Structures are given as C-alpha cells and as structure tokens.
Amino acid sequence: DAGVTQSPTHLIKTRGQQVTLRCSPKSGHDTVSWYQQALGQGPQFIFQYYEEEERQRGNFPDRFSGHQFPNYSSELNVNALWLGDSALYLCASSYRAPPGELFFGEGSRLTVL
Amino acid sequence: AQKITQTQPGMFVQEKEAVTLDCTYDTSDPSYGLFWYKQPSSGEMIFLIYQGSYDQQNATEGRYSLNFQKARKSANLVISASQLGDSAMYFCAMREGHGQNFVFGPGTRLSVLP
C-alpha cells in the first residue's frame, strides 16, 4: 500500500523563479494538505484541498497556490520565489475533511539562492 | 500567542529508560484533538498518538502514552523503554473543532544514548 509520495525530493531555485511541487496521497485518501517547515521549526499550514477545491488557507500570500486533480493528487505552486521560501514542503493526506490523523510524505526540500 | 508550546528544545535519555516530552496548548474551543508526531532525519512526519478533548482516558499506543491533563491544558508524551531508533524530532499538534488545519509546536529533539 503506497503511502504519500512527493516529488521532487530536493530542488534549487533562484530568487524570482517559480516552482511546482507534486503530491500523490495515500491510497483511499481524498484530502491533501500542504505544510511549510522552515529549518528548526514546526510545520505551518499552507492550505488544504478536498473535492478539487481549496477548503482552508493558512497565513500565506497569494504567491502560494495549489490544485487538486480528479485522482486526488495535488500540486503546490510558488511564484516569485524569495530566500525566505527555502524550507521543507510537506504534503499530508487524510480521508475526508476535517482531517483525522494526517499521513505525511517525506517532503520536498526547496532551496532558494 | 503560541497555541502549542514545547519548552524542551532537546532531551537526552538512556536506552531502556522512560522519557516525558512536554506539550501545553491554548484554545477556547471545547472540541479539539491533540496529536504527537515523530520526525526522523528523513523528514517524514510519523503519527504516534491521538487524544480527543472529550476522551475520558489517556491514550496509549504501544510504548507511547499521552498524559492528558485538560484543566492544565497539558498533553505530555511518555515514551517507555526508549530505543536508539526513537532518536528524532517530536512535534505536538492540535486541531481545533472542525478546523481543517493542524497547528504544530516547535518540536523537541530527543536523543537516546546507548
């Protein structure tokens, strides 16, 4: 049973560029949440997708956007990257919303130079 | 105001000993859930244990137990018989009511010594 998978695992971008991160939820899950984890901190909620719609959003600017596809997979897009966007981006899946237990992937580590 | 506080940035424990990781929370919602996650160096957050605000008994999962003191807004994680593989970051998290998001604390780094 495949867990949550994320790609890419590591990437390096320069300021001003755009990035797309991808997530496939655990089998049977229909809800995807994205979290940003800066070095030495706990994860912070970006947004959640359920039934292809953004259900709730954390305190992140509009540069952060997302999408959920009919197969429940999801993308996180970040435009106009700046140094402070360097972090581990974690995808978590659950069944239905509000979520019970969250299942996390191993994350995509983004470095912005 | 911090909703989840973990006052121990780092903890050391001898192998086979028990250890308690502290977590206090702040909410005015009578319905909430409390979670503990383990994050090894690989980055993946691994679910350990859950406590609902209306649960009468403290949650237990194998070597993990949650010391839930509702009046003190405390949800400490107890790991019994520590193993070397328990060395990792540990995060306390809360979901309020029917909210969609989890709020995480800053974490505690646990090191198990042989």
Side-chain angles (χ1 to χ4, degrees):
Chain A
D1 180 21
V4 179
T5 58
Q6 293 187 244
S7 63
T9 54
H10 294 82
L11 68 166
I12 299 174
K13 294 286 187 177
T14 57
R15 282 173 294 177
Q17 284 189 314
Q18 178 264 346
V19 67
T20 297
L21 308 178
R22 297 175 177 82
C23 172
S24 292
K26 179 179 170 65
S27 178
H29 285 184
D30 57 6
T31 304
V32 173
S33 303
W34 287 92
Y35 287 78
Q36 180 195 65
Q37 186 178 19
L39 196 62
Q41 298 182 22
Q44 287 199 309
F45 176 72
I46 303 175
F47 42 53
Q48 182 193 74
Y49 278 85
Y50 172 64
E51 294 186 333
E52 302 180 49
E53 291 186 3
E54 183 183 294
R55 292 292 171 143
Q56 188 171 342
R57 188 181 186 90
N59 189 25
F60 280 81
D62 292 343
R63 298 187 297 110
F64 289 76
S65 63
H67 188 77
Q68 186 179 35
F69 300 94
N71 67 352
Y72 308 121
S73 66
S74 176
E75 288 182 350
L76 165 64
N77 300 293
V78 187
N79 294 322
L81 288 167
W82 68 295
L83 299 180
D85 294 330
S86 295
L88 179 67
Y89 288 84
L90 293 164
C91 172
S93 73
S94 58
Y95 178 67
R96 290 290 186 261
E101 169 191 342
L102 291 178
F103 289 80
F104 284 84
E106 292 193 354
S108 295
R109 185 164 297 282
L110 171 65
T111 302
V112 182
L113 301 177
Chain B
Q2 294 285 341
K3 289 208 169 187
I4 298 287
T5 302
Q6 295 180 254
T7 58
Q8 306 153 314
M11 288 282 286
F12 290 90
V13 64
Q14 287 292 139
E15 194 178 7
K16 301 180 185 177
E17 297 290 313
V19 63
T20 298
L21 307 183
D22 294 342
C23 172
T24 57
Y25 59 92
D26 181 29
T27 181
S28 57
D29 195 323
S31 175
Y32 52 90
L34 297 160
F35 302 78
W36 276 92
Y37 281 84
K38 170 185 177 182
Q39 187 178 42
S41 56
S42 63
E44 181 182 1
M45 301 280 281
I46 301 168
F47 167 75
L48 297 178
I49 196 166
Y50 164 79
Q51 181 83 43
S53 59
Y54 295 118
D55 293 343
Q56 295 296 315
Q57 293 191 327
N58 287 343
T60 60
E61 288 285 350
R63 295 187 298 112
Y64 305 108
S65 61
L66 201 152
N67 184 1
F68 182 45
Q69 298 186 44
K70 194 170 183 177
R72 300 176 68 176
K73 293 188 175 179
S74 166
N76 298 339
L77 176 70
V78 181
I79 305 175
S80 62
S82 297
Q83 302 172 356
L84 296 179
D86 294 335
S87 294
M89 285 292 292
Y90 287 80
F91 292 94
C92 179
M94 176 174 67
R95 190 193 76 235
E96 293 174 295
H98 295 290
Q100 311 298 333
N101 64 306
F102 283 40
V103 176
F104 286 82
T108 295
R109 179 171 296 281
L110 177 66
S111 298
V112 180
L113 306 175

